[in-house]
Amino acid sequence: MRAKVLVLYMFLPFLLLSSIAVLAQKQQKIADTHYQKLEFALAIEAYKKVLQTQEPTLPIIARIADSYRRLNNSKEAEFWYAQMMAFPDYDPQSLKHYADAARMNGNYEKAKNLYLTYAEQVPSATPEAMQLIATSVNAQLWMGNPQPFRVEKAPGLNSENSDFSPALFQDGLVFTSDRVDSKNNKNVLGWTGRPNSILYYSKKEAAGFSPATPLPSPIHSDHQNGSAAFSPDGNTIYFTRINQLKKQGKSVNTDPFSWVKFSVPENVNRLEIFISQRKGNGWSEPQPFPYNNPGTYSIGHPAVSKSGDTLYFSSDMPGTLGESDIFYSVRKSDNSWSKPVNLGAGINTPGKEVFPVVAPSGKLYFSSEGHQGMGGLDIFSAAGSGTVWKKVQNLKYPLNSPGDDFGIVFETTDAGYLSSNRESSDGTDDIYTFQYQPIPCKLAGRSFEKTETRPGVYEEIPVGNVLLQLYLPNDSVVATTYSDAAGNFTFDILDGVTYSIKATKPDYLTRSAAVTPTCESIVDMVRLGLALNRSTPNKPILVENIYYDLNKSDIRPEAALELDKLVQTLKDNPKISIELSSHTDSRQTAAYNKILSQLRAQTAVNYIISKGIDATRVVAKGYGETKLLNRCKDGVPCSEEEHQVNRRTEFKILKRK
């Protein structure tokens, strides 16, 4: 008996190892099945259990890394792709995925080195690698010089799961969430390990947002719903619904929220747009958008134009230029919808364009991986309509980040909400607020008067002790200062804010000017010169750059700009009346020049009156060639420059009240 026990004891380690091996094989089979069914969250969990019982292998590490990539969890993906590099026979494409994850995590130097290595291993991919390196360099520059926006998580709105695609509705937001909700959202997806995505509403309150509640039935259903948009009057909702179908074809769109394409064993998820009308406090039964075709392609992420008659959306329908494009359809007078039209190559790329939004300004916003960006999806703006679009611009950092940024909406012209996974440790999205924050900088000004040193030649003489007041658009004075002996003065100002500056001093006409500074950093200095004129009656004052075409009296655009300054002078000094005089050179006859100059002076006066100045305050006077400033009389040879000195417009103060 002791011998049998001894034999059993000797073989026990081998039995245990054999049992562990069997369990590991069984667990890996479970993991492989989850992976093949695209149940990535479950696959990761199962593969990690395998690693508890055996040494890592390249296939297991690769599938964990790939699963995290499919889940858009770039932080974990970067870690697991790094583990793959320990195996000498890794797929070089994994090196590119490793670099992509590092770039999306903001590790740009690491990403650039990985892209270089990728190009060395796959020479045919060198152009792609170089472009991605350029993207990384560009992103570093943007992060080092951020745009003037404050971006923060929306208080009281987000959950531990994904919350994204906000839409303004009834003093609050409708947004998409796959949060855990025992009452309304019980099913857990193997793909993400989280519940279905459904539409929630939350009202904006003083301290944040009210607890989110699902939109009622029939909007809320057993389907996944998301990314909604509303008509301008709020009475129509357009929203995305996912339809799960049996697979048809070898390569299909398996995750239409992000348009990831690869083969799937049995089922395929396809996006459709549904439309519902308000009925009292509820909604009508949602009707499908007539161009839905879930058996072949997806249509989703709706956006509505300001007029309410144009629907924008993302799709991979035939005619798509890349993975997914943005299309539009117009509602006709009979309420039918026109055939979808691709917005064209100005917007769409060989990559992915998704989540269009139309701002109150009418400008189109969308997210793209194909245009020059920072990492994942970046938000872009574009101006235009139909298939003609221009000025496609990246919103840069911090509205964009190394991660995915999308679903922007504007509450005002410079504030609103956007979706991003920038701070996520597991790839989930959150809703952020953004607010324009003007960059402070300095306005450096100089007050001076122009003194004529010889005919047609002026010297700038500093004017000190000028009272200068800085106004905001609501006419409130925000700062006051005096110019020094050299005429210099400074103000603290903010980028993009329109200010008016008023300069006053005894014996001078009051002068005001408007300025809208462009400040890129706090050390920027905006320059401004203020030319002051004496208030001495009957002293001619030159109105600069009032040029007329030969033998004509029409106001040219550049002349109008100078006359606008004179209009402002009259508004700043309401107690003065002036004579506006026009002078010609000596060419043509004296009688002709007299008539022409009077016509020119009267045309200028008519322009001034059209801007709201009382006609009794402005008198037109044409002097012809009677007040030449130089030797260029009849018969005297002169250059064009010399003749130009005599062709001038002046004004003088006739009286003060």
Side-chain angles (χ1 to χ4, degrees), residues 179-430:
R179 62 186 59 197
V180 176
D181 185 340
S182 60
K183 293 182 180 179
N184 303 288
N185 208 3
K186 301 176 182 179
N187 298 326
V188 174
L189 302 176
W191 175 296
T192 62
R194 299 191 293 270
N196 278 342
S197 294
I198 63 176
L199 290 170
Y200 286 84
Y201 169 76
S202 185
K203 185 176 182 180
K204 189 174 183 181
E205 298 177 337
F209 286 87
S210 66
T213 57
L215 293 191
S217 298
I219 304 298
H220 178 55
S221 66
D222 292 334
H223 294 279
Q224 288 202 76
N225 295 327
S227 52
F230 292 88
S231 60
D233 61 9
N235 290 328
T236 304
I237 182 174
Y238 304 81
F239 66 96
T240 307
R241 177 169 283 176
I242 296 181
N243 194 340
Q244 188 175 81
L245 303 170
K246 288 293 183 181
K247 173 188 165 186
Q248 298 177 9
K250 294 181 179 179
S251 181
V252 295
N253 182 347
T254 58
D255 179 17
F257 274 118
S258 59
W259 263 274
V260 176
K261 292 187 176 183
F262 52 96
S263 60
V264 56
E266 298 177 356
N267 297 321
V268 56
N269 289 331
R270 286 254 166 74
L271 284 179
E272 298 180 83
I273 290 177
F274 279 79
I275 306 170
S276 178
Q277 309 295 329
R278 284 203 62 138
K279 297 179 67 175
N281 293 325
W283 296 92
S284 66
E285 186 66 33
Q287 299 300 310
F289 180 59
Y291 294 98
N292 290 344
N293 190 351
T296 307
Y297 52 79
S298 284
I299 289 181
H301 307 167
V304 186
S305 66
K306 284 180 61 180
S307 59
D309 61 359
T310 302
L311 183 68
Y312 297 89
F313 53 85
S314 299
S315 181
D316 57 354
M317 65 173 55
T320 301
L321 305 179
E323 290 186 55
S324 62
D325 283 2
I326 298 175
F327 292 76
Y328 75 93
S329 178
V330 178
R331 187 173 55 202
K332 303 176 185 178
S333 58
D334 62 358
N335 284 328
S336 65
W337 291 92
S338 68
K339 183 179 179 181
V341 177
N342 191 300
L343 264 60
I347 297 293
N348 296 311
T349 70
K352 183 190 302 179
E353 278 69 48
V354 288
F355 295 103
V357 172
V358 180
S361 64
K363 185 176 287 188
L364 176 70
Y365 290 81
F366 63 98
S367 288
S368 173
E369 288 182 342
H371 292 281
Q372 184 81 12
M374 295 185 65
L377 289 171
D378 272 28
I379 304 172
F380 294 81
S381 66
S385 62
T387 60
V388 180
W389 298 88
K390 59 184 179 180
K391 297 182 180 178
V392 175
Q393 295 180 328
N394 189 300
L395 301 192
K396 301 182 179 179
Y397 183 81
L399 293 180
N400 285 317
S401 72
D404 283 336
D405 304 285
F406 59 98
I408 192 169
V409 292
F410 290 83
E411 198 168 39
T412 65
T413 56
D414 53 13
Y417 306 88
L418 58 84
S419 313
S420 180
N421 66 354
R422 63 184 63 194
E423 297 177 5
S424 173
S425 61
D426 58 2
T428 56
D429 303 305
D430 286 305

Side-chain angles (χ1 to χ4, degrees), residues 85-100:
M85 301 301 106
F87 297 89
D89 53 344
Y90 65 82
D91 184 350
Q93 187 65 27
S94 296
L95 186 61
K96 193 261 183 183
H97 294 324
Y98 183 18
D100 288 343

Side-chain angles (χ1 to χ4, degrees), residues 152-158 202 205-210 417 431-433:
E152 299 174 333
K153 282 188 180 181
L157 197 62
N158 296 297
S202 185
E205 298 177 337
F209 286 87
S210 66
Y417 306 88
I431 297 173
Y432 288 76
T433 63

Side-chain angles (χ1 to χ4, degrees), residues 582-618:
S582 178
H583 304 262
T584 69
D585 57 37
S586 62
R587 291 176 291 187
Q588 297 289 348
T589 66
Y592 176 87
N593 285 333
K594 179 79 170 177
I595 294 171
L596 179 62
S597 64
Q598 183 64 38
L599 283 173
R600 287 176 172 176
Q602 190 60 55
T603 300
V605 166
N606 291 343
Y607 178 87
I608 291 171
I609 293 171
S610 74
K611 297 297 182 178
I613 300 301
D614 188 337
T616 63
R617 296 181 60 199
V618 194

